[in-house]
């Protein structure tokens, strides 16, 4: 596609429920990244993919968070048993390669856990 | 651990003024530095990417400079317009994977 697409744009969920966030990167981009933006924490790295593998998951806050990427394209970020502190904007980005290339971001998914 | 700082945190200027936003980083061993803008409730829009071997990049009214040895970058905006109002973020890549470490941003307001 023309840009990075994320869905849903907004998600309100009850505490304890599972949620799935989707990212569709720019066509042909090898690398895909998930970041989280929350008040008081700024933008923080969660995980990145090179193709379908995730060389670095170091930013995932707990084992309730997981992500996968299939076909070298779409990625889903899953949060199990959501907590109120998971409320944030989840941003996805893609880049042509994993080395020294410009990152392009989607519009984000605003997650609110009530 | 890389830390990125942006000064000022907020800035308000009259339309037409030239302005400079500052970004500093603690680890000078970066691969590149990228400037973004973020409008309220929106994602990030890439403005400029400077490779570690470059000193500056220009796009329209924007000019970004990089002094890697001193750990500093500036974003110069010429002849500011109300449409430039947004939060500006700088981010650096240190280490493998093209992962970005972000500053906390400068919130810019350009007034009529």
């Amino acid at each position: 596609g023309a840009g990075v697409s994320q869905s849903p744009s907004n998600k309100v969920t009850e505490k304890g429920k599972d949620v799935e966030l989707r990212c569709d990167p720019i066509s042909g981009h090898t690398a895909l990244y998930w970041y989280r933006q929350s008040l008081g924490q700024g933008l923080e790295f969660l995980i990145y993919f090179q193709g379908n593998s995730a060389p670095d998951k170091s930013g995932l806050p707990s084992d309730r968070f997981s992500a996968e990427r299939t076909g070298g394209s779409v990625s889903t970020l899953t949060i199990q048993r959501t907590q109120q502190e998971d409320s944030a904007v989840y941003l996805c980005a893609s880049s042509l390669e994993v080395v020294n290339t410009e990152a392009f971001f989607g519009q984000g998914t605003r997650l609110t856990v009530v | 651990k890389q830390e990125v700082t942006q000064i000022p945190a907020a800035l308000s200027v009259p339309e037409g003024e030239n302005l400079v936003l500052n970004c500093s980083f603690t680890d000078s061993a970066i691969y590149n530095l990228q400037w973004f803008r973020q409008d309220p409730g929106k994602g990030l829009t890439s403005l400029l990417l400077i490779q570690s071997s470059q000193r500056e990049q220009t796009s329209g009214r924007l000019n970004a400079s990089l002094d890697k040895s001193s750990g500093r970058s500036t974003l110069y905006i010429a002849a500011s317009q109300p449409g430039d109002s947004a939060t500006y973020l700088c981010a650096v890549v240190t280490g493998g994977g093209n992962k970005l470490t972000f500053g906390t941003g400068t919130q810019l307001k350009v007034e009529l």
Side-chain angles (χ1 to χ4, degrees), chain A residues 61-89:
Chain A
S62 74
D63 58 9
R64 296 185 295 103
F65 287 71
S66 63
E68 66 173 11
R69 188 180 185 194
T70 55
S73 180
V74 172
S75 175
T76 54
L77 176 69
T78 301
I79 309 173
Q80 295 179 308
R81 305 181 302 283
T82 51
Q83 303 294 314
Q84 287 186 329
E85 62 261 28
D86 300 335
S87 296
V89 177

Side-chain angles (χ1 to χ4, degrees), chain B residues 42-72:
Chain B
K42 304 289 186 183
L44 277 64
T45 301
S46 177
L47 298 173
L48 290 162
L49 170 71
I50 310 179
Q51 302 290 354
S52 62
S53 58
Q54 296 175 320
R55 298 285 294 189
E56 66 177 331
Q57 282 284 350
T58 298
S59 176
R61 294 182 294 107
L62 305 179
N63 176 277
S65 68
L66 174 63
D67 184 343
K68 200 175 86 159
S69 60
S70 68
R72 295 175 189 273

Side-chain angles (χ1 to χ4, degrees), chain A residues 33 35 37 56 100-102, chain B residues 32 38 46 97-100:
Chain A
Y33 306 82
Y35 291 87
Q37 186 173 34
D56 190 339
N100 250 357
T101 54
E102 192 172 4
Chain B
N32 62 59
Q38 186 173 32
S46 177
N98 214 32
K99 299 182 303 181
L100 293 161

Side-chain angles (χ1 to χ4, degrees), chain A residues 2-102:
Chain A
V4 178
S5 178
Q6 292 186 247
S7 61
S9 54
N10 279 285
K11 176 73 176 178
V12 179
T13 190
E14 291 181 354
K15 179 181 171 181
K17 300 281 190 186
D18 298 351
V19 294
E20 275 192 0
L21 312 181
R22 176 189 168 104
C23 174
D24 201 340
I26 294 172
S27 178
H29 278 197
T30 302
L32 185 148
Y33 306 82
W34 285 97
Y35 291 87
R36 180 169 73 171
Q37 186 173 34
S38 49
L39 283 174
Q41 295 292 326
L43 263 155
E44 52 181 349
F45 166 80
L46 298 178
I47 184 172
Y48 89 88
F49 290 89
Q50 180 176 5
N52 292 334
S53 63
D56 190 339
K57 309 177 184 180
S58 62
L60 295 178
S62 74
D63 58 9
R64 296 185 295 103
F65 287 71
S66 63
E68 66 173 11
R69 188 180 185 194
T70 55
S73 180
V74 172
S75 175
T76 54
L77 176 69
T78 301
I79 309 173
Q80 295 179 308
R81 305 181 302 283
T82 51
Q83 303 294 314
Q84 287 186 329
E85 62 261 28
D86 300 335
S87 296
V89 177
Y90 291 82
L91 290 161
C92 176
S94 70
S95 61
L96 192 58
E97 301 289 344
V98 292
V99 178
N100 250 357
T101 54
E102 192 172 4

